[in-house]
Every structure is written in C-alpha cells, then in structure tokens.
Amino acid sequence: MLVTDKNYPSEEQFYYYGFIYTDDQPRSVEEIKAINGDYCGVLCRDGELIAVTDAFRSKSIFYHIDPEYRTFVFAHDPREIQAMGLYPYIMDGNCILTLDLHTFKFSKQENMIWNLDQTDRTYTKVFDAADAAVKMRWDPNNDKLMMTSGHDSGVIACSLQKQGYEKFSVTGLGAPVYMQEHQEILAQRLRRHKGHVIKIKGDEHDTTPINAMRWERNIDEYYGELLMGVCDWLKTIGRNCLLNGNGAFFYDDKGLHGKQYSYESHFGGCYPKDLNHIFPRWNTRIESMSGTNNMVTLYKGCDYKQPLVDPVLVQAWINTVPDLKNAGYKNWNVEYLKAHDYPNEENFSNGLGGDITDEESLSAKAKDADLYWAKHKQRLHERR
C-alpha cells in the first residue's frame, strides 16, 4: 500500500494492507469504523485523504506530509518512504487521520469507541465472539498457530479443534529460562494436535535490518529475534501467515486483585465498577507486540493475525460485570478452556513461568527475569 500526491487516484478508492473480514471498500468514516480486521488503510476521496489504523494497530501506517511543498506519502512499509529520502512517521493506533488536500491540515479521531457498560453476568457472548474471531481468521491452507502452553494460544487452539481442525499446532520457541513452557501441558496439546516442537534460538537472528526500517522504541527485540526464526521456518513448509495470542494482555494487565506482577501493569488487574477510571486503556504493550509482529513479518515477507483482540470479542468482554473480570488471572480464557476440557494449567502463564499465587516462586522468577534482561540488553548493545 503506497499512496502519494503523485499516484493519487482520480476516483474514490480504499487501499489497505492486512486482512479485512467485513466490507473492504468503505466510502465514509462511519463505514471505516464498522470494519473488522487486522489491517491499516487509506481512503482516497476528492479533496481529502482518510487514513486508518485498527483498534490495536496490528498493522502500522507510516506517513510524511509536507504542507509547504504540498506533498504527502502514506505507506504500510516505512522503507518506501525512506527510499524517497524522507522520515517515516508512524500513525497512532485506533486512529482515523483526515488530511484536507486543499489546506494540508489534518485532524484525528478515535476509530473504535468502546461501550463501557458492564452488565453481562456470563461469558456466553465472549465465548461466541472468540469462536467467530478465530473462524474468520483461520485459513487452513496458509496459516500456522504459534501454540504454547499458555492460556492465549490455548483458546485459539481449542476453538480450532471445536471447528474440526486437528493437525495445526506447532511451537517451541527457544524461550529464556524465566519463560520456560509448562512442559506437561504443552506435551498434552501437541499430542492432541499431532504437532511438534520447533527449536529456535533468538540469538541466532539479528534484528538490526528490521530496526533500520524504522527504530521503534517499543519494539520487543527478543520476541522479534524469535519471530524471525519462525518466519524462516514457515517458508520451509509452504506457509505464509501466523496466528498468535497477542493482545491477551488487554484482559489481565499483568496483575491480579490490584497487585502488579510486572512493570507493564497499569492498574494491577483490578477492574473498577466504572471503567472510565482506566479507559482509554493503556495499550503500549499490545502495540509493542503488534509492532514486532508487523515489522518482522513485513521484513520476512510473511504476515500474521491476532484474533484475541477482535473488536467484537473485546467489546463482549468489556460488557461483562467486574466480578467476572476480577475472578482470576485471564479469567475468561481459563473458563473457556475449562468449559471445553482443554489442557491448561490455571495459574500458569503469568509472564514469569511460575504460579501467580506463589509469592516465593514469583520473587525468584522475577529475579531470573531481571538477570536475563540485563545480559540480553548488554548483548544487543555489543552487537551495535
């Protein structure tokens, strides 16, 4: 997707990068807001350009506008803009930007505006929305699921199994010590899906060329290294796209009952009776992971989808009562897996690889994490 002042179409046209599961030719801001997808896009109209990112910026738009010379460029690949000798600015997530082509002034508004009512006392709508989100994204001929022993990919794998798919799951990222898989749960899942482990060591991959595309301070470099290896592996089996559990951080905030288990936690996972206290949600971590997925797959010529932040699913979960949200860590994920008797360890996957209720274990794992990251950052510094 590349739209500039020089190739601007004479007729109204919507260009996008990624995946759209509803109408892919919107004609207005209202129709843009109704889109469901993992995408970014540009609507070209007479006298104005409208650019959009989805609610969690699963795909990024880069742009450069020069009002003095009346030039502009919008692209999903920052290298297109760099090749013109220009700096690629990045659009915010959940954003609609309107550029007036007469005055060259632009305005911004939110794309998705959440309904913050909390009235649903069951997960029925959440579970239905989760199944629909996975179904609309799954292409059995082209996709692979990055399955781990955690809750997030477990929900996706469980949903796919319900829909009749069996052999689809592959995992085995060479995670650091403090994020080791729950081996028994992983083994049960792999046996169920006839999957296997792929061994990837992050330090065998160099993110320098990806950083050169446009250095993003919130890109997760370690995950980026692992993802580079996954993309290389995808090509060996004739696949091109990944499904992953990115976005599940939205549902737990890396905390429980107000206790923050990570510096990334905003409010300790304690959801208030009035969600206006914590909304708009702090999406930095989600956009970091989305940005990593986006930039690495773009560089490697692959793609990815993230069903757990489907807007219909997120909205259904928002509308559940606080008691459900606060009942446990990633509670809707856990209850979904229980309801379908899918292999899962309820207190596992807190980001540190230990039991979230075990303070001594948590402290030890946190120390391991700090030591790992100190060494990892030093290695990255030496590489540069």
Side-chain angles (χ1 to χ4, degrees):
M1 182 187 72
L2 176 65
V3 178
T4 75
D5 55 285
K6 295 178 176 60
N7 70 359
Y8 201 76
S10 57
E11 297 182 354
E12 186 172 294
Q13 182 67 42
F14 182 69
Y15 301 97
Y16 70 91
Y17 170 67
F19 305 92
I20 289 180
Y21 312 110
T22 51
D23 181 13
D24 64 357
Q25 285 301 315
R27 293 290 182 259
S28 66
V29 168
E30 290 71 24
E31 291 182 6
I32 285 175
K33 289 185 175 183
I35 290 175
N36 187 338
D38 306 288
Y39 79 104
C40 61
V42 173
L43 174 58
C44 301
R45 304 175 66 182
D46 184 24
E48 67 177 2
L49 176 153
I50 303 173
V52 57
T53 53
D54 65 32
F56 297 96
R57 201 170 71 184
S58 61
K59 311 294 180 185
S60 298
I61 283 187
F62 301 90
Y63 69 99
H64 192 102
I65 301 171
D66 189 331
E68 181 180 357
Y69 292 98
R70 302 181 66 80
T71 60
F72 60 86
V73 53
F74 287 78
H76 73 277
D77 190 333
R79 292 170 294 187
E80 298 270 15
I81 300 176
Q82 290 174 329
M84 300 176 186
L86 303 172
Y87 181 79
Y89 296 94
I90 190 169
M91 264 185 65
D92 297 331
N94 194 31
C95 181
I96 295 177
L97 180 154
T98 302
L99 173 65
D100 187 314
L101 298 180
H102 301 295
T103 65
F104 267 70
K105 293 182 178 180
F106 63 85
S107 60
K108 295 180 181 180
Q109 61 179 291
E110 285 186 298
N111 180 7
M112 183 70 183
I113 299 177
W114 305 107
N115 174 344
L116 302 184
D117 293 341
Q118 300 182 89
T119 55
D120 289 345
R121 297 188 173 279
T122 71
Y123 282 131
T124 300
K125 292 181 180 178
V126 175
F127 291 177
D128 288 346
D131 287 337
V134 172
K135 183 178 181 179
M136 71 175 61
R137 284 167 175 79
W138 179 249
D139 177 358
N141 297 316
N142 192 47
D143 298 347
K144 275 291 182 181
L145 171 64
M146 289 178 64
M147 194 184 76
T148 67
S149 56
H151 304 320
D152 318 328
S153 65
V155 167
I156 302 173
C158 178
S159 180
L160 287 172
Q161 179 180 271
K162 284 175 58 184
Q163 296 171 38
Y165 297 104
E166 289 295 334
K167 186 176 180 181
F168 57 79
S169 304
V170 180
T171 187
L173 307 186
V177 173
Y178 76 92
M179 290 181 64
Q180 287 302 314
E181 297 287 356
H182 192 291
Q183 298 298 330
E184 181 181 348
I185 296 301
L186 179 57
Q188 290 177 24
R189 292 181 179 181
L190 292 176
R191 284 195 297 270
R192 178 170 296 205
H193 303 301
K194 301 180 178 63
H196 63 279
V197 173
I198 54 172
K199 289 294 185 181
I200 296 172
K201 294 183 179 180
D203 55 11
E204 294 178 352
H205 299 272
D206 183 6
T207 58
T208 301
I210 295 171
N211 291 331
M213 293 166 68
R214 185 189 185 280
W215 179 265
E216 269 297 306
R217 64 182 177 84
N218 64 347
I219 289 293
D220 188 318
E221 288 192 66
Y222 176 76
Y223 178 60
E225 293 172 341
L226 295 178
L227 193 58
M228 290 178 77
V230 176
C231 289
D232 289 342
W233 170 79
L234 268 182
K235 295 177 181 179
T236 68
I237 60 170
R239 300 295 178 92
N240 189 52
C241 189
L242 294 165
L243 262 71
N244 62 36
N246 181 42
F249 172 65
F250 188 86
Y251 304 105
D252 67 76
D253 189 58
K254 293 294 183 185
L256 184 64
H257 304 318
K259 186 173 181 61
Q260 296 171 296
Y261 286 94
S262 167
Y263 71 92
E264 296 158 348
S265 175
H266 187 201
F267 53 90
C270 184
Y271 289 90
K273 293 180 179 179
D274 184 352
L275 289 178
N276 284 292
H277 293 310
I278 60 171
F279 273 74
R281 279 295 305 278
W282 191 34
N283 290 334
T284 303
R285 178 59 175 163
I286 301 175
E287 290 192 356
S288 165
M289 298 299 285
S290 295
T292 305
N293 281 296
N294 186 39
M295 298 299 277
V296 173
T297 55
L298 183 63
Y299 177 77
K300 287 290 188 176
C302 301
D303 216 327
Y304 79 103
K305 306 166 188 172
Q306 43 190 39
L308 295 190
V309 285
D310 175 274
V312 178
L313 169 57
V314 172
Q315 184 63 75
W317 175 83
I318 287 174
N319 292 147
T320 60
V321 295
D323 286 349
L324 281 180
K325 294 184 179 74
N326 293 323
Y329 181 76
K330 293 187 179 178
N331 190 52
W332 84 258
N333 304 67
V334 173
E335 292 301 322
Y336 181 94
L337 296 171
K338 283 183 178 179
H340 300 98
D341 194 27
Y342 192 81
N344 190 55
E345 181 71 18
E346 186 170 348
N347 288 324
F348 184 72
S349 187
N350 60 14
L352 295 174
D355 188 336
I356 200 168
T357 63
D358 181 348
E359 295 290 340
E360 183 177 353
S361 172
L362 183 67
S363 176
K365 292 293 184 180
K367 184 176 180 181
D368 288 342
D370 290 341
L371 290 173
Y372 170 81
W373 279 109
K375 293 179 180 178
H376 177 65
K377 289 177 180 178
Q378 178 62 30
R379 178 168 59 83
L380 289 174
H381 178 74
E382 292 172 350
R383 178 180 290 171
R384 298 192 189 103

